[in-house]
Amino acid sequence: MRVIPLQSGSAGNCIYIESSGVSLLIDAGISGKRAKERLAACGRDIARVDALIVSHDHADHVSCAGIFHRKFGMPLYISEKTLRAARASRDQGTLREVRHFRPGDAFRIGALTVETIPTPHDGADGSAFVIDDGAVRLGIFTDLGHVFGALERALSSVDAALLESNYDPAMLEDGSYPAALKKRIRGKGGHLSNLEAAELAAAHGGRLAWLCLAHLSGENNTPALALRAHREVLGAGFSLHVADRYAAGPVLELPAPS
């Protein structure tokens, strides 16, 4: 299995996954042009992607879903509530091949099983995901709200994960965000801090070959702070990566190269 975060953060999210002859995109919060160019730079053709799966209705995850669907001919997997909310906030255009799931469902796309996990993030009907190719399991855990039991169980079941590590508490507290927004980010429907993510991984990530820190805030975090927080908890030898806010990469593999 190979994984390429094409972009991760509040400016837009899109993750490419390939295994067993199947390729997927998780979320479409960047333009079709950028997604196509970034995949091409990694030797992949976006027109060959088998499906687009959308996690929730926030613009940084769904804004270009209709464009991806029509321009690149990929079926759209999305919950009914998420699609309604997405259409209410932004015209998605004509959608001809939509396959609805309910958070908590599992479904097949070719040789891959996609397990969906309802999240308490403050979207309309959000999901995290586990992608299983029969040999390895990958977690896509962002926009989580807070740590919850199903998330802990899912993390304990995967061999690698992209995990939200959104903010540094001191940067958030001292930053320029209004008090209501700070409360929302720290709250039950917001995001995980660096320390919360690191402690979650330490407690439930015993199978992890690597962890890619994702959805870092541009205003309230830095890659260096996120990595330091995780290394202090997980140890210097733990395999850590950071998904870029404005570019593709790193290209990650499972099983991890020895």
Side-chain angles (χ1 to χ4, degrees):
M1 187 180 290
R2 289 186 175 87
V3 188
I4 308 172
L6 299 180
Q7 187 165 310
S8 183
S10 57
N13 296 271
C14 188
I15 301 165
Y16 172 84
I17 302 165
E18 65 178 27
S19 184
S20 305
V22 179
S23 57
L24 310 174
L25 287 176
I26 306 292
D27 289 331
I30 63 175
S31 71
K33 180 176 184 289
R34 286 180 179 168
K36 180 179 179 180
E37 290 174 348
R38 290 173 186 176
L39 278 175
C42 297
R44 271 73 175 178
D45 180 359
I46 197 170
R48 298 178 67 86
V49 171
D50 294 290
L52 168 65
I53 306 171
V54 170
S55 64
H56 66 292
D57 63 293
H58 290 166
D60 56 325
H61 294 260
V62 75
S63 61
C64 293
I67 294 168
F68 280 37
H69 170 72
R70 290 185 297 275
K71 187 172 183 179
F72 305 121
M74 58 184 74
L76 173 61
Y77 289 74
I78 190 169
S79 84
E80 290 188 73
K81 290 181 180 178
T82 295
L83 182 56
R84 284 200 300 271
R87 280 178 157 158
S89 61
R90 179 186 176 98
D91 182 15
Q92 293 293 331
T94 301
L95 302 175
R96 295 185 175 86
E97 192 174 359
V98 179
R99 300 172 186 178
H100 291 299
F101 65 86
R102 291 178 297 179
D105 288 350
F107 53 89
R108 299 274 293 181
I109 301 175
L112 304 184
T113 299
V114 180
E115 301 171 13
T116 70
I117 301 145
T119 71
H121 186 60
D122 57 4
D125 198 30
S127 290
F129 303 104
V130 172
I131 312 299
D132 188 330
D133 68 2
V136 294
R137 290 167 58 82
L138 171 73
I140 307 294
F141 304 136
T142 69
D143 297 79
L144 298 170
H146 61 270
V147 174
F148 54 99
L151 173 62
E152 295 171 338
R153 292 189 292 273
L155 182 60
S156 70
S157 80
V158 299
D159 302 289
L162 281 80
L163 177 64
E164 168 179 273
S165 188
N166 181 254
Y167 68 94
D168 173 79
M171 284 189 71
L172 178 64
E173 180 63 29
D174 296 339
S176 61
Y177 278 8
L181 181 53
K182 291 179 182 180
K183 183 178 179 181
R184 179 248 169 190
I185 291 169
R186 288 190 296 252
K188 294 294 187 179
H191 295 282
L192 300 192
S193 72
N194 292 335
L195 181 58
E196 287 171 326
E199 290 179 340
L200 173 66
H204 300 283
R207 285 178 52 167
L208 295 174
W210 51 257
L211 185 65
C212 182
L213 310 183
H215 219 298
L216 273 66
S217 170
E219 294 76 21
N220 303 304
N221 208 355
T222 68
L225 282 172
L227 285 168
R228 185 173 71 188
H230 282 262
R231 287 185 174 132
E232 286 176 352
V233 174
L234 298 171
F238 195 94
S239 182
L240 290 170
H241 309 273
V242 179
D244 200 288
R245 284 179 52 82
Y246 299 108
V251 179
L252 301 166
E253 295 186 2
L254 261 179
S258 57

